[in-house]
Amino acid sequence: MITRQLSFSALILLFIYTLQESLMNQVRLPGGGFSLFLIFILVWAALSTPEVGAVTGFAAGFLIDLSPSSSGPVGQWTLIMVLTCFGIAFLGFGDDKARGNPITIVFLVLFGVFVSEVAFIFSGALLGVNLGSFGQILLTLIGMSMWTLLITPFTLPIFSRMHAFTFDTGSRI
Amino acid sequence: MRYGGGNRSRLLLIILIVSSLFLITLDLRGVQVLDGLRSGGQTVLSPFQSAGNTVASPFKNFFSDVTHLGRTRNQLAQLRAENFNLRTKLINRKNADAELKKFKSLLDLAGTAEYKILSAKVISQGSSQSFSQTLTIDAGSNSGIHRNMTVICDSGLAGVVKEVYPNSALILLASDPSFRIGVRIAGTQQIGILSGQGSRKAVLQLIDNQTTLSVGDVLLARGSLQNRPFVPGVPVGTVVAVDNSAGAVAQSATVKFFTNFSALGVVAVVVGAPKTDPRDSLVPAKPRPTPVPTVTILVTPSPSPTATK
């Protein structure tokens, strides 16, 4: 059972990552655009237990770190994603009303994207990563949040079905 | 919030956090295994990025095109008249023509300065989630590209080669916040350091506090020792605003890059530097105003006006 869940999760994770790196990154959107991979991971975490959320966050963060366009040291995104995904999963876990409500999930994802980006900025500042002017960072943060709020409701049904299929939960949003 | 957690959950979280910190430490200490993983990842991804570039090419600059609608209004009006098939063909043709034009301009630029270049197509652009400004090209170490080579485009400096893989290379764009380049002002030869700001604007700090800057000054790359990472003479940008604050140690200015980083499709890597410094030979010509023809009508009064009855 766990082998099936792990292999399906890994396959889906790699597929979305490849889609993000090869196709989504090609499209230049105003305000920095959105990260489909980040949205996917946070939806996945929001629907999972904190343990699964943390492990998913670790794998996703490591993949982001391996991306050649990632500016920080390897491990920075891994750390951020472990904590963010654990936090998001922790907030949603145990309350079926919250987990079954698409609006709650959308706002959890939005919160997760915002928190992970802010954490990246602060940890980047500590690690000496140059991220640009304050105005540009603010513009990207606002832009990414707006795009996430816009895109998540459309992707949520697909990602939740993938999650239900992988974990055999039967509950879908 | 209602989650009881338990020791197992806490232990797992601690293990994952410690592993992440371990990875950060390894990377900051420069352990080669992690570089190898990144390199391997890029090698695996580059065919997908090439395919993605082909798929995304008709719409990837959609929003940028909409922003600049005024400039292309006539062209758009012409395109509206075409049917769907013709429009698709036209877009493909337009794409090829634009690349050809850029290639030609690129060759002109490189030819004037006697740079030996290797042209490449942009196959991917870096994700904005890490606030970095990078792109990936379809040529790598198999084509003779090495790290720290200058990358130019048809209008001037594009960036520098940051990482090289067998069939692709990662370019750090000049707009990246971590990008620094030594520049000199064409004509006056004053020198300074230009820093990327994450957008098309950059900040110039002059080294000598006795010199002055003025709006419209053109900046060229100073060149580096043994021409790595920068060859001399590459046009970088133009001064658009000068900061004249009284307390400043050295004069600073805002510079606009010649290169439009969001529309880069074709770039060239300078694989061979010129034997002599091209000096100011690459300074772009100032746009000349189009003369408006004036029509003068001379009316000569008739010598003998006709009498009316």
Side-chain angles (χ1 to χ4, degrees):
Chain A
M1 188 68 178
I2 202 150
T3 316
R4 177 184 175 273
Q5 288 175 352
L6 267 176
S7 50
F8 271 114
S9 300
L11 270 177
I12 294 169
L13 198 74
L14 283 173
F15 173 73
I16 306 278
Y17 175 73
T18 312
L19 194 71
Q20 173 70 40
E21 287 291 319
S22 58
L23 195 67
M24 303 309 294
N25 282 353
Q26 308 276 349
V27 185
R28 284 276 159 219
L29 296 168
F34 62 94
S35 169
L36 187 72
F37 188 61
L38 217 53
I39 292 173
F40 166 75
I41 292 305
L42 291 168
V43 169
W44 202 264
L47 297 171
S48 305
T49 61
E51 288 96 341
V52 174
V55 173
T56 312
F58 184 85
F62 189 62
L63 282 175
I64 298 176
D65 277 328
L66 285 187
S67 168
S69 61
S70 189
S71 55
V74 174
Q76 189 185 358
W77 269 110
T78 314
L79 181 63
I80 290 167
M81 291 308 288
V82 166
L83 293 172
T84 311
C85 289
F86 182 83
I88 293 292
F90 187 81
L91 284 174
F93 193 73
D95 188 347
D96 284 340
K97 271 187 190 170
R99 291 179 80 188
N101 188 349
I103 296 169
T104 313
I105 302 285
V106 168
F107 279 96
L108 270 179
V109 171
L110 176 67
F111 176 69
V113 167
F114 188 80
V115 165
S116 59
E117 291 294 336
V118 170
F120 180 76
I121 292 164
F122 279 103
S123 56
L126 287 174
L127 292 166
V129 181
N130 209 332
L131 300 171
S133 62
F134 178 74
Q136 192 66 30
I137 290 172
L138 198 67
L139 192 76
T140 312
L141 265 179
I142 295 169
M144 278 195 95
S145 303
M146 298 299 283
W147 276 108
T148 304
L149 193 62
L150 197 74
I151 295 296
T152 311
F154 295 101
T155 55
L156 186 59
I158 305 164
F159 293 159
S160 94
R161 272 172 176 77
M162 284 177 170
H163 186 272
F165 176 74
T166 308
F167 290 93
D168 232 358
T169 52
S171 60
R172 289 169 192 170
I173 294 169
Chain B
M1 265 172 252
R2 292 139 297 276
Y3 180 64
N7 290 335
R8 199 184 62 167
S9 174
R10 260 179 245 132
L11 183 68
L12 178 73
L13 186 66
I14 290 166
I15 290 171
L16 293 176
I17 290 171
V18 170
S19 306
S20 310
L21 292 170
F22 182 63
L23 284 171
I24 295 174
T25 314
L26 283 181
D27 194 60
L28 292 177
R29 287 175 70 92
V31 174
Q32 294 296 313
V33 180
L34 296 175
D35 287 341
L37 277 174
R38 257 187 184 166
S39 170
Q42 176 57 30
T43 309
V44 172
L45 276 176
S46 60
F48 292 104
Q49 287 174 333
S50 295
N53 182 51
T54 313
V55 174
S57 61
F59 58 86
K60 67 182 187 180
N61 287 326
F62 173 74
F63 282 92
S64 153
D65 290 346
V66 168
T67 316
H68 299 108
L69 200 59
R71 290 183 206 167
T72 53
R73 191 175 292 151
N74 294 335
Q75 204 174 5
L76 281 172
Q78 202 181 345
L79 286 172
R80 275 194 207 104
E82 306 286 335
N83 63 31
F84 180 75
N85 288 332
L86 277 176
R87 197 178 299 178
T88 311
K89 280 182 186 173
L90 195 63
I91 290 167
N92 288 339
R93 176 63 193 263
K94 201 177 130 194
N95 195 27
D97 282 352
E99 280 188 358
L100 191 71
K101 197 177 163 192
K102 284 189 174 179
F103 266 127
K104 194 175 175 301
S105 307
L106 203 53
L107 286 172
D108 286 346
L109 186 85
T112 312
E114 296 178 2
Y115 297 140
K116 193 177 167 195
I117 58 163
L118 182 91
S119 353
K121 274 182 79 171
V122 175
I123 56 169
S124 175
Q125 308 203 29
S127 170
S128 56
Q129 76 197 6
S130 298
F131 301 91
S132 63
Q133 308 269 321
T134 56
L135 51 83
T136 310
I137 56 170
D138 65 351
S141 56
N142 289 346
S143 309
I145 293 176
H146 303 290
R147 283 181 70 171
N148 291 331
M149 282 180 160
T150 312
V151 182
I152 59 173
C153 66
D154 57 330
S155 45
L157 182 78
V160 68
V161 179
K162 190 183 173 193
E163 295 292 340
V164 183
Y165 312 103
N167 296 310
S168 59
L170 184 77
I171 310 300
L172 182 74
L173 292 176
S175 56
D176 188 272
S178 64
F179 189 90
R180 302 280 181 279
I181 181 173
V183 291
R184 64 181 171 80
I185 296 167
T188 63
Q189 307 299 316
Q190 298 165 39
I191 57 172
I193 295 166
L194 189 77
S195 316
Q197 296 293 304
S199 64
R200 206 177 164 183
K201 299 269 174 69
V203 171
L204 170 70
Q205 285 277 345
L206 281 185
I207 289 175
D208 184 1
N209 60 0
Q210 299 297 314
T211 53
T212 52
L213 279 167
S214 50
V215 172
D217 281 346
V218 172
L219 303 182
L220 302 167
R222 263 192 79 215
S224 313
L225 269 178
Q226 297 178 347
N227 300 307
R228 297 274 282 274
F230 300 109
V231 291
V234 182
V236 177
T238 182
V239 176
V240 289
V242 180
D243 180 16
N244 284 319
S245 51
V249 178
Q251 203 173 16
S252 63
T254 306
V255 172
K256 188 179 182 187
F257 285 110
F258 288 126
T259 304
N260 180 5
F261 297 101
S262 61
L264 283 176
V266 174
V267 293
V269 181
V270 181
V271 290
K275 284 173 189 157
T276 54
D277 190 338
R279 300 282 170 194
D280 295 352
S281 62
L282 296 180
V283 174
K286 284 186 178 170
R288 287 193 302 183
T290 317
V292 181
T294 48
V295 181
T296 312
I297 300 168
L298 292 171
V299 181
T300 314
S302 161
S304 54
T306 49
T308 50
K309 287 180 185 176

